[in-house]
Amino acid sequence: MTIFGITLSAAVIWLIIAAVCGIIEAATMGLTTIWFTGGAIIASIVAMAKFSLPIQIIVFLIVSILLIYFTRPLAKKRLKIGNEKTNVDALVGREAMVTETIEPFGSGQAKVDGLVWSAIAKDSHTTIQKGTTVIIDRVEGVKLVVTPSEEPITK
């Protein structure tokens, strides 16, 4: 193949594709193109063995799909992509202390990490008294959705 007046072999083209995919992966760190880098490298080896272009493309696709299927779940697990809780998501499952009684169908306040939040009961029919320890179920906007735990805090 001739590009800009330079004759390139199929093996070199596959290596260029691998390099481009590698650069994209390095720039994004999203585990999106790394699999195609491996497929292109293997396709380059097949091209050096003088197999036809359709065979090279089939090998590229098969290797890329196999890499995605077998290694992506491992990579996501090891690298913990998308699993790290940040900011308010980190509050879920933690304990808080009710500082203002949470009324049925209304809100009160709860304190966690020294910050006072508006809080509502997960079961909207429940009253949660001041001084009760609660577990944060989720965060909706600026309100904690809480459920009472077993023991009140006596501070």
Side-chain angles (χ1 to χ4, degrees):
M1 173 181 265
T2 303
I3 300 176
F4 302 117
I6 302 169
T7 303
L8 300 174
S9 71
V12 172
I13 292 171
W14 283 115
L15 290 174
I16 291 170
I17 292 171
V20 169
C21 289
I23 290 168
I24 292 170
E25 184 62 37
T28 63
M29 297 296 289
L31 289 181
T32 51
T33 59
I34 192 70
W35 324 112
F36 301 108
T37 303
I41 290 170
I42 300 301
S44 175
I45 293 168
V46 169
M48 285 185 245
K50 304 292 185 201
F51 283 93
S52 67
L53 183 60
I55 299 294
Q56 295 170 35
I57 293 171
I58 290 169
V59 167
F60 168 75
L61 292 174
I62 289 172
V63 169
S64 297
I65 290 168
L66 288 173
L67 285 173
I68 290 169
Y69 183 78
F70 288 111
T71 61
R72 189 169 196 273
L74 294 172
K76 282 184 76 170
K77 182 179 176 183
R78 297 265 183 199
L79 299 175
K80 296 182 181 4
I81 294 172
N83 292 337
E84 185 176 326
K85 291 184 178 182
T86 58
N87 300 331
V88 295
D89 292 331
L91 296 175
V92 175
R94 299 205 32 220
E95 288 187 341
M97 181 182 72
V98 176
T99 58
E100 182 181 300
T101 300
I102 301 170
E103 301 291 336
F105 301 104
S107 65
Q109 292 183 340
K111 189 174 189 177
V112 62
D113 289 340
L115 298 174
V116 177
W117 290 71
S118 292
I120 58 174
K122 182 177 178 181
D123 176 7
S124 60
H125 302 289
T126 303
T127 298
I128 303 175
Q129 297 297 325
K130 179 179 179 179
T132 303
T133 303
V134 292
I135 305 297
I136 301 168
D137 185 63
R138 65 182 182 276
V139 180
E140 290 182 355
V142 295
K143 291 185 181 177
L144 302 176
V145 180
V146 298
T147 55
S149 68
E150 311 306 320
E151 307 167 16
I153 297 175
T154 54
K155 284 188 179 180

